[in-house]
Amino acid sequence: MSRKTAGKSTRLDLVLASASPRRVELLKAAGFAFRVAPSGVDERPPQPLGALRYVAWAARTKAEAVASTWPRAVVVGADTEVVLHGRIFGKPRDQEEASAFLRALSGRTHQVYTAVAVLDGASGCRACGISRTDVTMRELDEETIAAYVRTGEAQDKAGAYAIQGEGQRLVASIRGPYDNVVGMPIRRLTRLLAECGIPVPANLPDGLQHNVTTHARNPRESPTMDHSAHG
């Protein structure tokens, strides 16, 4: 990608302030050219914050940390959290906590919030937005929870599940962007880049931009996806 400055086209340096394989995959699938620079920041806020304020703070903090190293680049920071009744379910410390998270989420509808922060060092533009997806979990028995936790997939995931992996079998339905649950809402990102006058790939895959509803008949069956749902 490139941007026009004073009538000239210059190469756009896009930097993802995250080492998340899921975010890397989503950006690549959307056609973005970028480099990866993990922020390494302490994600504990200086004061207690509610869920929405926390995800926005975390995304900005990650982007700002990387922008200090890449001052002329366009830096993208993101943070994803699972929230139920105002409580943030982060990455579980161990298998016991992962099981406790899944018991709490079982049979209920929770929210997944991803905040995206864009910092353009060249223009000074700063933009931040949050996407939301409602996720309804199946009723999970102890056998199902234990079997999933044993896969190891829960350990580095917010809420102790990965919807793009085996965790999809735990989900009854979602309302909102699927890629938001994975960790990078591409539609939100492109809007924020546009606010800063930054060009985006012309061939964004429809499946990444559209909201999705999924349905699973039982925890051992994969959900089907309706890509026509919810503009």
Side-chain angles (χ1 to χ4, degrees), residues 34-220:
F34 62 97
R35 67 187 75 200
V36 174
S39 66
V41 300
D42 183 349
E43 296 185 31
R44 292 173 295 182
Q47 60 188 27
L49 299 173
L52 292 178
R53 291 181 64 193
Y54 174 78
V55 292
W57 170 85
R60 286 195 303 267
T61 298
K62 294 173 185 179
E64 288 168 354
V66 172
S68 65
T69 304
W70 300 90
R72 300 293 294 175
V74 176
V75 179
V76 176
D79 187 73
T80 302
E81 300 296 339
V82 168
V83 180
L84 177 66
H85 303 318
R87 175 188 172 188
I88 296 176
F89 289 74
K91 298 175 181 179
R93 293 187 298 268
D94 50 34
Q95 290 191 348
E96 182 177 351
E97 187 169 56
S99 297
F101 282 5
L102 293 174
R103 290 189 198 100
L105 298 175
S106 173
R108 297 182 173 91
T109 298
H110 62 267
Q111 288 67 51
V112 178
Y113 296 105
T114 296
V116 180
V118 172
L119 305 183
D120 183 2
S123 69
C125 179
R126 301 165 67 95
C128 185
I130 300 174
S131 288
R132 165 181 166 168
T133 303
D134 294 332
V135 180
T136 300
M137 303 293 274
R138 294 198 54 79
E139 294 284 352
L140 307 175
D141 58 30
E142 287 299 315
E143 180 183 356
T144 299
I145 290 173
Y148 179 67
V149 170
R150 281 197 300 270
T151 69
E153 189 176 81
Q155 289 311 121
D156 65 339
K157 310 297 189 305
Y161 73 95
I163 197 169
Q164 75 279 9
E166 291 298 315
Q168 66 179 318
R169 302 176 187 276
L170 311 181
V171 174
S173 66
I174 75 171
R175 183 177 180 87
Y178 171 83
D179 55 4
N180 179 61
V181 186
V182 180
M184 179 59 74
I186 296 297
R187 175 178 283 182
R188 175 67 63 185
L189 172 61
T190 57
R191 287 175 179 170
L192 296 173
L193 291 171
E195 287 181 26
C196 291
I198 299 166
V200 299
N203 59 338
L204 288 174
D206 287 343
L208 293 177
Q209 298 188 69
H210 292 248
N211 294 359
V212 176
T213 297
T214 72
H215 303 277
R217 289 182 291 278
N218 65 59
R220 293 176 176 81

